[in-house]
């Protein structure tokens, strides 16, 4: 029986653990220095931009398509296994376009054609249709909208906790509060064990899915995979009732600002994109968060009456000098796999990442190539 150790239990690590738990003949252990769904997963908005993204071919599109399709079966599967309710908005994503939109309409018309040829729906709405369907949207600066009925939004924390519970039911061992201290290598190209705060863990495969924690881990194996932090801030706002039609509550996005209905007249609004100015320290910029809130109010003026229940922030793992995410073998090692550096697409690409890692392990590395190709924004 092959023993697989996964380091990191955000949404990506949890998805890999669950997917591998469906494979017979694997013993699986997941280690994390903190509880599940912390770090970037706990800060994510869970907006799954697949068909509405501008990625149209290659691994960048394949991974999005695979993930969106897998979510349709994964959510009911997890809910049935765990008895947990996972908030999963199936009402699509509505993207508002204005005169200042970078893309001209011809780009969107072409994308609609491509998506139809790929079997996906994408609609262009004029302002009259938008006004008719979404009364909450202020038309003043909006020239048109793109509606993607098959894209989704999910609660990343609820998803991750359900993946962990389902994987546990399938026999996966989770060790939280465990820090990796070292990864000694006695033979070239092979890592036999990890030294942790809970002792040594030997395994046949090691999967590094630790987000920003991946860089120090790879350094212990004398290979630096350079992943840098990018801060994101968001707000939870309470209007007290649904905006517009209570029966049609898609995630609304425009100019990279998301307005996400989360039930009970509450909305998540975000997120900022903040880079470190010196070193890796990024103090949250309140002006940027206020700018996001003001843009959301410009799109949906009723948000101006909302109370702010909470604000939060998290660091996203962005690979330096290479596309996101980083999926494949760690250079120089036959049994250390990378599933990290997803930047802003960890929740979106978690199911496809899990499939990719599963295939690499099942095939014992024969004839597989890493998915280290760009899908990052």
């Amino acid at each position: 029986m092959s023993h697989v150790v996964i380091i990191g239990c955000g949404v990506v690590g949890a998805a890999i653990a669950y997917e591998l738990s469906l494979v017979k003949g694997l013993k699986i252990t997941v280690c994390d220095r903190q509880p599940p769904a912390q770090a970037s997963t706990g800060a994510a908005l869970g907006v799954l931009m697949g068909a509405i993204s501008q990625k149209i071919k290659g691994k960048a599109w394949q991974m999005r398509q695979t993930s969106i399709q897998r979510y349709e079966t994964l959510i009911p599967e997890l809910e049935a296994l765990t008895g947990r309710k996972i908030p999963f908005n199936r009402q699509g994503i509505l993207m508002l376009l204005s005169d200042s939109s970078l893309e001209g309409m011809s780009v969107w018309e072409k994308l609609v054609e491509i998506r139809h040829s790929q079997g996906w729906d994408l609609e262009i709405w004029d302002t009259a249709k938008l006004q008719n369907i979404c009364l909450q949207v202020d038309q003043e600066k909006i020239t048109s909208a793109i509606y993607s009925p098959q894209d989704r939004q999910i609660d990343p924390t609820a998803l991750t906790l359900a993946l962990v519970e389902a994987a546990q039911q399938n026999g996966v061992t989770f060790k939280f509060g465990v820090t990796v201290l070292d990864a000694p290598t006695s033979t070239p190209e092979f890592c036999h064990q990890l030294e942790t705060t809970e002792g040594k863990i030997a395994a046949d495969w090691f999967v590094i899915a630790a987000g920003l924690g991946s860089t120090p881990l790879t350094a212990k194996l004398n290979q630096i995979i350079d992943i840098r932090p990018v801060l994101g801030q968001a707000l939870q706002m309470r209007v007290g009732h649904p905006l517009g039609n209570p029966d049609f509550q898609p995630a609304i996005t425009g100019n990279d600002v998301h307005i996400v209905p989360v039930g009970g007249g509450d909305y998540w609004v975000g997120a900022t994109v903040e880079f470190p100015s010196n070193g890796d320290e990024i103090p949250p910029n309140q002006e940027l968060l206020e700018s996001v809130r003001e843009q959301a109010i410009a799109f949906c003026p009723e948000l101006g009456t909302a109370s702010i229940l909470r604000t939060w922030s998290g660091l996203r793992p962005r690979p330096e000098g290479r596309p996101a995410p980083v999926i494949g073998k760690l250079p120089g090692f036959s049994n250390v796999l990378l599933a990290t550096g997803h930047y802003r697409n960890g929740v979106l690409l978690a199911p496809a990442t899990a499939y990719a890692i599963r295939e690499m392990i099942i095939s014992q590395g024969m004839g597989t190539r890493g998915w280290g190709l760009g899908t990052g924004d």
Side-chain angles (χ1 to χ4, degrees):
M1 180 177 280
S2 284
H3 185 192
V4 182
V5 170
I6 299 162
I7 306 144
C9 196
V11 67
V12 172
I16 293 167
Y18 175 68
E19 210 57 61
L20 290 180
S21 78
L22 305 176
V23 177
K24 286 186 169 50
L26 291 181
K27 177 188 173 189
I28 302 153
T29 304
V30 181
C31 302
D32 200 314
R33 61 189 177 197
Q34 52 193 352
Q38 304 296 303
S40 51
T41 296
L45 298 180
V47 179
L48 309 178
M49 300 178 78
I52 206 166
S53 81
Q54 293 286 341
K55 310 292 184 184
I56 56 173
K57 61 186 179 183
K59 289 288 190 289
W61 164 243
Q62 285 173 27
M63 287 189 76
R64 276 175 160 79
Q65 178 168 250
T66 297
S67 283
I68 295 288
Q69 289 169 335
R70 175 60 174 136
Y71 270 123
E72 294 304 308
T73 58
L74 180 63
I75 301 310
E77 205 174 289
L78 292 173
E79 289 184 335
L81 267 172
T82 65
R84 288 173 175 268
K85 183 81 186 101
I86 304 169
F88 186 49
N89 188 339
R90 291 179 170 86
Q91 299 201 23
I93 295 175
L94 181 69
M95 182 179 286
L96 306 177
L97 303 179
S98 63
D99 287 328
S100 60
S101 296
L102 294 173
E103 298 84 12
M105 279 318 295
S106 61
V107 173
W108 287 105
E109 286 160 4
K110 187 178 177 187
L111 185 65
V112 168
E113 279 179 35
I114 290 167
R115 290 292 183 247
H116 285 176
S117 74
Q118 293 169 332
W120 293 83
D121 290 333
L122 207 57
E123 303 169 11
I124 297 176
W125 292 3
D126 60 19
T127 49
K129 182 167 187 176
L130 179 63
Q131 181 65 55
N132 194 34
I133 297 173
C134 294
L135 291 170
Q136 71 268 39
V137 174
D138 182 2
Q139 302 284 312
E140 191 181 338
K141 291 179 182 169
I142 306 302
T143 51
S144 56
I146 310 297
Y147 178 55
S148 180
Q150 291 160 294
D151 283 334
R152 303 285 181 252
Q153 183 274 334
I154 194 162
D155 183 312
T157 299
L159 166 66
T160 305
L161 296 177
L163 285 165
V164 169
E165 190 177 321
Q168 280 174 323
Q169 286 184 26
N170 290 346
V172 175
T173 301
F174 287 85
K175 294 175 179 284
F176 298 116
V178 174
T179 301
V180 176
L181 302 172
D182 202 5
T185 54
S186 53
T187 55
E189 290 205 354
F190 205 82
C191 178
H192 293 277
Q193 64 184 22
L194 298 178
E195 290 178 6
T196 76
T197 46
E198 228 185 51
K200 293 177 179 176
I201 304 176
D204 304 289
W205 291 93
F206 296 94
V207 181
I208 298 175
L212 288 163
S214 303
T215 300
L217 278 170
T218 58
K220 294 180 197 307
L221 293 161
N222 299 315
Q223 293 284 342
I224 302 265
I225 302 298
D226 190 4
I227 296 175
R228 308 278 179 91
V230 178
L231 184 81
Q233 297 184 78
L235 315 124
Q236 181 163 341
M237 302 174 74
R238 174 161 293 169
V239 184
H241 58 265
L243 297 172
N245 181 351
D247 297 323
F248 182 62
Q249 291 285 300
I252 294 177
T253 185
N255 196 28
D256 210 20
V257 170
H258 303 309
I259 302 167
V260 178
V262 290
D266 285 7
Y267 291 82
W268 289 347
V269 173
T272 64
V273 179
E274 303 174 49
F275 293 88
S277 51
N278 55 359
D280 279 350
E281 289 298 307
I282 318 176
N285 183 325
Q286 291 309 309
E287 287 177 14
L288 285 178
L289 185 60
E290 178 58 22
S291 166
V292 165
R293 189 182 79 92
E294 286 169 2
Q295 284 189 74
I297 292 168
F299 291 143
C300 298
E302 226 181 323
L303 283 172
T305 67
S307 56
I308 297 172
L309 295 188
R310 65 181 178 119
T311 65
W312 70 95
S313 66
L315 298 173
R316 311 175 184 100
R318 180 176 179 267
E320 180 68 17
R322 63 193 288 176
V326 183
I327 304 175
K329 284 185 180 174
L330 180 67
F333 287 87
S334 58
N335 72 325
V336 180
L337 303 178
L338 298 165
T340 188
H342 286 72
Y343 190 26
R344 301 173 72 192
N345 289 316
V347 183
L348 171 61
L349 299 180
T353 302
Y355 276 163
I357 294 296
R358 184 194 67 187
E359 289 311 304
M360 287 176 214
I361 289 173
I362 287 175
S363 66
Q364 297 292 307
M366 300 299 288
T368 59
R369 289 181 300 167
W371 290 42
L373 294 165
T375 62
D377 291 324

